[in-house]
Amino acid sequence: MRPGTISDVLCCRAFITAICTAVWLHGAAAERLDRGVVGVRRADGANYISWRLLAEDPPTVTFRVYGAAESRDDGTMLAELRDKCDFSDPTPGNRQYYRVVPVTNGSVLNSVGAVRIDQSTPGYVRIRLEGNYRAQKIGLADLDGDGRLDFIVKQPDFNTDPYQQPGYWKKSEDTYKIEAYRHDGTFMWRYDMGWAIEEGIWYSPIVAYDLDGDGKAEVFCKGGTNYWLYTAAGKLIGHTNLGDLSPKAVYWLEGSTKAYVVGQRIFVWPNREIGRIEGRVVCIADCIGDWREEIITALEGEIRIYTTTTPALFRRVCLMQDRLYRNDVAVQTMGYFYPPQLGKSLR
């Protein structure tokens, strides 16, 4: 093992530039996303659910929300919403199952499976990892073509960066591993990147993106002097070389003004605290629910997906269907983390 050099970092930056340019110029097909319905329990005892407005939805679409005590029941219609994509049930009683049904001109577009919320449901989504380690990077992509965003984890959370200060470099303690988990936490596969790559955040970029437009994302990673391109199922495609700290803003409030995250606290400008999270922030993206973003954190043995429970003032198309935003999410797994930005105004 040796300390990183300027050429290592320049090579990594060239890799990042090349793969992002390839995705942009070749116009990879947009991912097919489902409704992304998510349900969490609010601190006041209310059940809160939210879902996606998709770019292909007609302007006249409305959403009917049904609640039931049993999963097999159709339930009672609690609301029909025209201007937002979230709903709070302040007095759920024995209601645990909620369905969202999109309707246009009296016709149902498609059916969405029920999401369950009970008294034990926390205010976040938990993904248990296959060991007592902490994730360093989290990628988001649909690995199996079901329209739901899955998780690509790089671990352990060890980093050496020769540019932070003289003498910062230290010998890698282990090898990086890349793991895949389905949206519901089901473990899919793991690959060991080996000792040819240092455990440095700049030396080991990965990209999860549907490069060939078949609806299932590929996972590309660089390690040492070689490159690996895997299919969504974890099959090695080849070794083709595709190209040789601050507060984090997040759509979290009821409107277009962003909140921001510092450490484990969420603030409204300038300094009003509105929430707390646990773990280190490794990703911010609109991965489930309505157009507001989720905050993904890494803890020992798990990752958590925090979603806002603040009712929205309006509805908006899923941010992941914005081309620049989606590319920004893809490159969050390379180098230091920066929140994604929108490339155009979505309705």
Side-chain angles (χ1 to χ4, degrees):
M1 308 296 288
R2 60 174 176 78
T5 63
I6 293 177
S7 61
D8 290 328
V9 177
L10 291 178
C11 179
C12 179
R13 289 179 176 173
F15 166 86
I16 294 171
T17 302
I19 196 166
C20 293
T21 302
V23 169
W24 183 269
L25 292 179
H26 291 289
E31 290 163 305
R32 180 185 65 84
L33 297 176
D34 73 351
R35 286 289 163 200
V37 180
V38 60
V40 294
R41 187 84 165 180
R42 288 172 46 133
D44 60 6
N47 288 342
Y48 177 85
I49 62 172
S50 67
W51 57 92
R52 294 183 180 122
L53 176 69
L54 301 173
E56 57 268 26
D57 285 333
T60 57
V61 68
T62 62
F63 296 96
R64 296 174 182 172
V65 181
Y66 293 83
E70 302 290 338
S71 61
R72 61 179 179 272
D73 295 341
D74 291 336
T76 302
M77 189 170 77
L78 305 175
E80 183 164 6
L81 303 171
R82 292 174 171 79
D83 56 357
K84 55 190 301 184
C85 291
D86 67 333
F87 175 77
S88 293
D89 187 357
T91 54
N94 64 350
R95 283 191 294 271
Q96 299 184 76
Y97 296 90
Y98 295 85
R99 291 187 301 117
V100 177
V101 179
V103 178
T104 183
N105 298 324
S107 300
V108 174
L109 294 180
N110 47 51
S111 180
V112 179
V115 59
R116 185 184 183 190
I117 310 173
D118 60 27
Q119 293 184 355
S120 65
T121 303
Y124 53 85
V125 179
R126 175 186 284 120
I127 303 294
R128 295 287 190 186
L129 301 179
E130 289 287 296
N132 192 31
Y133 45 78
R134 190 185 297 263
Q136 186 201 62
K137 288 289 184 180
I138 303 292
L140 296 170
D142 183 3
L143 296 176
D144 51 15
D146 65 354
R148 300 172 180 179
L149 294 175
D150 306 305
F151 303 95
I152 299 89
V153 175
K154 186 174 78 171
Q155 57 92 358
D157 184 18
F158 180 93
N159 180 41
T160 181
D161 186 342
Y163 287 88
Q164 283 198 353
Q165 61 187 33
Y168 178 80
W169 180 86
K170 51 187 178 291
K171 183 178 179 180
S172 297
E173 299 176 350
D174 199 350
T175 58
Y176 277 142
K177 285 85 174 174
I178 300 176
E179 301 174 340
Y181 296 82
R182 294 189 71 242
H183 69 279
D184 60 0
T186 302
F187 177 75
M188 297 178 69
W189 49 263
R190 174 189 291 124
Y191 277 95
D192 192 320
M193 296 180 71
W195 287 104
I197 187 70
E198 283 196 279
E199 286 187 305
I201 204 166
W202 285 108
Y203 318 133
S204 54
I206 61 174
V207 174
Y209 201 94
D210 182 10
L211 296 173
D212 59 8
D214 68 350
K216 298 180 181 180
E218 287 71 47
V219 181
F220 189 92
C221 63
K222 174 189 178 295
T225 59
N226 212 336
Y227 298 78
W228 291 268
L229 180 62
Y230 294 105
T231 67
K235 179 182 178 181
L236 179 65
I237 295 176
H239 297 284
T240 304
N241 180 357
L242 298 186
D244 218 54
L245 300 167
S246 61
K248 299 171 176 64
V250 55
Y251 285 116
W252 194 260
L253 307 176
E254 67 276 7
S256 297
T257 301
K258 288 188 175 184
Y260 66 96
V261 183
V262 176
Q264 297 180 327
R265 297 188 292 173
I266 306 172
F267 293 91
V268 173
W269 181 263
N271 56 10
R272 179 167 63 91
E273 182 178 328
I274 59 171
R276 296 202 174 197
I277 57 178
E278 293 186 67
R280 182 175 64 86
V281 177
V282 292
C283 182
I284 289 176
D286 176 18
C287 62
I288 49 177
D290 69 4
W291 60 271
R292 271 85 59 81
E293 294 171 303
E294 281 64 52
I295 302 170
I296 303 179
T297 66
L299 296 88
E300 295 295 330
E302 67 179 79
I303 57 176
R304 291 185 184 178
I305 301 94
Y306 288 90
T307 187
T308 183
T309 58
T310 300
L313 294 177
F314 51 83
R315 69 185 190 183
R316 193 177 191 180
V317 169
C318 171
L319 303 189
M320 289 288 274
Q321 293 189 297
D322 178 274
R323 190 172 177 181
L324 178 61
Y325 184 94
R326 181 63 186 91
N327 285 355
D328 272 2
V329 172
V331 302
Q332 284 188 17
T333 51
M334 300 186 291
Y336 290 116
F337 164 75
Y338 296 96
Q341 302 298 321
L342 285 170
K344 64 180 181 181
S345 178
L346 296 175
R347 64 179 169 87

